[in-house]
Amino acid sequence: MEMGEIIKQRRAELGMSQADLAIAAGVDKRQIRRYEAGEQQPVLSLAVAIAQALKITVNELAGMPSHRVNLSGDWWMSWQTSKDGVEVITAQEVRFHQQDELIHLDTVTRGITVEDGGFMWNGELRLWDNEILMGWYVANEGPVRSKGTLYFVLHPHGIHMSGRWVGLSYDGKIMTGWGAAARSEEACRDLIAALKTD
């Protein structure tokens, strides 16, 4: 696929107009039109700016296919944790925003009440070799101090992931438990149940 087609297709996927892309990349709208029509090619500095605005790599902009799995979208994440020494299994909706191998995570729902230990958080994961995800999380609510690390193994087709969290929790400064993510609440809870029996 030619660069102009890639710009046009990716811009449409993101719901951007030519004017939106021009503003985001710092170029004139007429230049975007010329690039999409194949009349011109952007210089490297502008190609980098356009790729960043389109949330793709320069290689992808140039038509070199990416073999990276795309995990962007809405997921369910389930956690094995505890409160006052009693096991609690939670599940909450989390939005994944992926750019290259970096994935930003934002909770959409709390999962359980504040009184039971639920909290909203954000974090990041880095994808390694389309197989391993490593990163961190931190509560984004004032009085909640929870924060820690995440380690997940990704299913070969990117349909779910399972692993562990380690971090500061209500019950202590170094706590750990199973964690899982899938596209549905039932699937991620099933993953936690399976991890607990292994």
Side-chain angles (χ1 to χ4, degrees):
M1 188 181 293
E2 295 294 319
M3 184 181 295
E5 295 170 41
I6 293 167
I7 293 172
K8 186 175 183 177
Q9 179 180 330
R10 182 64 181 154
R11 181 177 57 75
E13 287 172 5
L14 295 173
M16 298 175 80
S17 67
Q18 287 182 337
D20 294 334
L21 178 56
I23 290 167
V27 299
D28 188 272
K29 182 176 119 176
R30 291 174 294 204
Q31 281 303 114
I32 299 298
R33 192 171 359 101
R34 288 183 190 118
Y35 298 152
E36 287 186 2
E39 297 169 6
Q40 289 182 332
Q41 296 282 323
V43 296
L44 181 58
S45 60
L46 288 179
V48 170
I50 291 169
Q52 287 176 337
L54 294 173
K55 297 178 173 52
I56 58 176
T57 66
V58 174
N59 284 353
E60 290 169 315
L61 182 66
M64 298 169 67
S66 168
H67 300 291
R68 175 181 21 86
V69 65
N70 184 355
L71 301 174
S72 290
D74 292 334
W75 288 75
W76 278 87
M77 297 188 84
S78 188
W79 310 101
Q80 177 195 36
T81 185
S82 66
K83 184 162 190 273
D84 299 324
V86 177
E87 181 185 69
V88 177
I89 304 295
T90 68
Q92 62 193 136
E93 291 177 276
V94 179
R95 187 154 294 136
F96 286 31
H97 305 276
Q98 183 173 351
Q99 184 170 3
D100 300 326
E101 36 315 292
L102 188 63
I103 304 163
H104 185 76
L105 311 174
D106 288 299
T107 52
V108 177
T109 61
R110 186 178 306 282
I112 58 175
T113 66
V114 173
E115 295 76 29
D116 290 333
F119 61 92
M120 302 293 277
W121 56 272
N122 61 4
E124 285 183 349
L125 290 171
R126 183 169 294 275
L127 178 63
W128 298 91
D129 302 322
N130 276 345
E131 180 180 21
I132 302 297
L133 294 138
M134 293 187 289
W136 56 268
Y137 68 94
V138 63
N140 56 13
E141 296 180 294
V144 181
R145 296 176 45 234
S146 293
K147 58 189 70 65
T149 61
L150 302 169
Y151 177 87
F152 290 100
V153 176
L154 184 64
H155 181 276
H157 300 296
I159 58 174
H160 62 74
M161 60 190 80
S162 55
R164 291 193 77 82
W165 64 271
V166 177
L168 173 67
S169 178
Y170 179 85
D171 278 1
K173 290 189 177 182
I174 303 175
M175 301 297 293
T176 188
W178 293 112
R183 296 291 184 160
S184 73
E185 180 178 6
E186 181 181 3
C188 74
R189 285 186 181 275
D190 289 347
L191 286 167
I192 291 287
L195 288 165
K196 285 176 53 180
T197 61
D198 285 346

